[in-house]
Amino acid sequence: MKVTMTEAICQEGLALLEGKADIFVAHDAHPHNYLDQLKDTDAFIVRVADKGAIDKETMESSDSLKVIGRTGIGYDSVDVESATKLGIPVVVTPGANNRSVAEHAITLMLALSKNMVESDVEQRKGNWKIRDAKKAFEVEEKTCLIIGLGTIGKIIAHLCIGLDMKVIGYDTFLSKEQMAELGVEKYDDKFEALKAADVVIVQMPLIEGVTNNTIAKAELDVMKPTALLINCSRGEIVNEPDLCEALKSGSIAGAGLDVFWNEPTHIDDEILHCPNVIASPHSAAQTREAVIKMAKMCVNGCLAVVDGKKWPYVADKAVYDHPKWAGKEWAEV
């Protein structure tokens, strides 16, 4: 068995492959640069890759490819439609980084609310008077709007309630009663929810043509000038040029961002030069604990598929309708 990786996974994940596989680490996010290595690869584990990089050509060039593993829940780097047609499951790791991302969103909110980054930078310049900037505020009794109350959003709500915040939610998939069980007040009108919020946390998947630009100029214009925006989901969900304009004009007070239109970001990207932005390099899911969980879950899924078993955590379960999976049993998790 041969396993190819775009980048090496952690030692805990590699340990699961000891004695079971020959491993090639490409240190390259673009598989077209090493198609020769993929020809006899059974499992292709993708840690870092550009959107759509794992395309149909890559799969069709890989004669032995049985499974693609993605150490995360997002899979926009993989052409899942082509993989499904070829009967190649795309293993994902749902739940492995939920707490990590939720804590990161709260951290960005608190850092902004206390003006932590500017205070640190200015103090190091000798500007002790930054303490009088009057930008810091308490989150107690402030209203936090969570757009997207999936698993991560629910954890964020729990943490915000623990900070004595009022939590409201906008999510078309949850009823008023379901939100109430979480201690969250449901809003059916997104714009009314945005008007009421002191902090807006976006936590939803990117669905092309559906969730792109969920937050754009119209949404930013109705937010309070004292409001903060937090995005740890996908960059395209927030219209970045519109956000830049809102930050520069003072239409909103600040933004905490872990995701961007350009990834990796460039030093001259406008968003990195806007006032009162705290940025992290799409690292919300990269805690020690989450990295280990994702790696182990991904490897176990890939091993199960190579062994001819149906692994439940895949991007598209329709892959198991392919003739090559007829009569195969489900793996025990």
Side-chain angles (χ1 to χ4, degrees):
M1 173 183 172
K2 180 178 177 181
V3 176
T4 293
M5 303 178 182
T6 56
E7 301 289 340
I9 59 175
C10 64
Q11 287 300 318
E12 289 83 356
L14 289 171
L16 297 177
L17 294 169
E18 285 184 8
K20 298 178 181 178
D22 295 322
I23 300 171
F24 171 74
V25 180
H27 300 295
D28 190 332
H30 305 286
H32 286 201
N33 295 332
Y34 45 94
L35 290 177
D36 56 328
Q37 288 287 345
L38 287 167
K39 282 190 176 297
D40 59 346
T41 289
D42 297 282
F44 187 17
I45 293 180
V46 181
R47 268 202 60 231
V48 179
D50 291 340
K51 182 183 290 187
I54 319 304
D55 57 11
K56 183 179 180 181
E57 181 182 349
T58 299
M59 299 174 208
E60 291 182 336
S61 299
S62 309
D63 300 332
S64 301
L65 189 62
K66 300 176 180 65
V67 62
I68 297 169
R70 178 72 185 89
T71 56
I73 187 62
Y75 47 83
D76 53 2
S77 57
V78 182
D79 181 354
V80 174
E81 183 178 353
S82 291
T84 297
K85 288 178 180 178
L86 292 167
I88 301 172
V90 178
V91 168
V92 291
T93 60
N97 58 19
N98 288 348
R99 180 74 187 199
S100 212
V101 174
E103 287 187 5
H104 199 93
I106 296 297
T107 299
L108 289 172
M109 175 185 73
L110 292 175
L112 281 165
S113 71
K114 302 301 179 285
N115 199 32
M116 292 293 292
V117 171
E118 184 181 33
S119 296
D120 177 85
V121 170
E122 289 301 311
Q123 184 182 346
R124 292 174 192 276
K125 292 177 182 178
N127 180 14
W128 185 258
K129 287 292 185 179
I130 189 63
R131 70 198 296 268
D132 300 323
K134 296 181 173 62
K135 292 181 180 180
F137 65 89
E138 297 176 1
V139 299
E140 182 184 19
E141 296 184 359
K142 298 298 190 298
T143 298
C144 178
L145 164 63
I146 302 173
I147 300 180
L149 278 146
T151 307
I152 296 174
K154 289 172 183 174
I155 298 172
I156 292 171
H158 172 73
L159 295 173
C160 287
I161 291 168
L163 289 167
D164 294 321
M165 300 183 78
K166 176 183 179 182
V167 182
I168 62 176
Y170 178 76
D171 189 317
T172 57
F173 293 98
L174 293 183
S175 67
K176 179 179 180 180
E177 291 73 23
Q178 287 172 314
M179 283 201 192
E181 290 177 4
L182 302 171
V184 178
E185 179 183 348
K186 180 178 172 68
Y187 272 65
D188 293 315
D189 187 302
K190 178 173 67 170
F191 289 91
E192 289 302 314
L194 288 165
K195 289 177 185 178
D198 298 295
V199 179
V200 176
I201 299 179
V202 182
Q203 195 58 59
M204 60 199 308
L206 175 63
I207 303 172
E208 288 294 340
V210 179
T211 60
N212 309 65
N213 299 311
T214 293
I215 300 293
K217 186 179 189 304
E219 288 78 13
L220 293 161
D221 282 349
V222 301
M223 288 172 62
K224 297 177 182 179
T226 54
L228 305 176
L229 175 67
I230 310 296
N231 185 12
C232 292
S233 50
R234 283 294 185 268
E236 294 88 343
I237 289 171
V238 174
N239 186 297
E240 202 166 283
D242 290 349
L243 176 58
C244 289
E245 180 58 34
L247 289 163
K248 289 179 178 180
S249 68
S251 177
I252 67 171
L257 306 172
D258 186 55
V259 288
F260 307 87
W261 276 22
N262 292 325
E263 292 190 8
T265 52
H266 308 140
I267 58 173
D268 56 350
D269 284 349
E270 184 181 10
I271 190 65
L272 299 182
H273 300 278
C274 289
N276 212 23
V277 171
I278 297 181
S280 54
H282 204 149
S283 57
Q286 299 303 309
T287 59
R288 289 188 299 273
E289 294 84 355
V291 166
I292 292 170
K293 288 177 191 174
M294 288 188 290
K296 293 173 75 172
M297 193 172 181
C298 181
V299 169
N300 283 327
C302 288
L303 288 172
V305 171
V306 170
D307 197 35
K309 297 175 182 175
K310 297 178 182 178
W311 185 254
Y313 306 121
V314 293
D316 183 7
K317 286 188 178 180
V319 69
Y320 296 130
D321 295 331
H322 193 280
K324 70 166 63 175
W325 287 99
K328 303 289 187 181
E329 296 182 358
W330 287 92
E332 291 186 13
V333 178

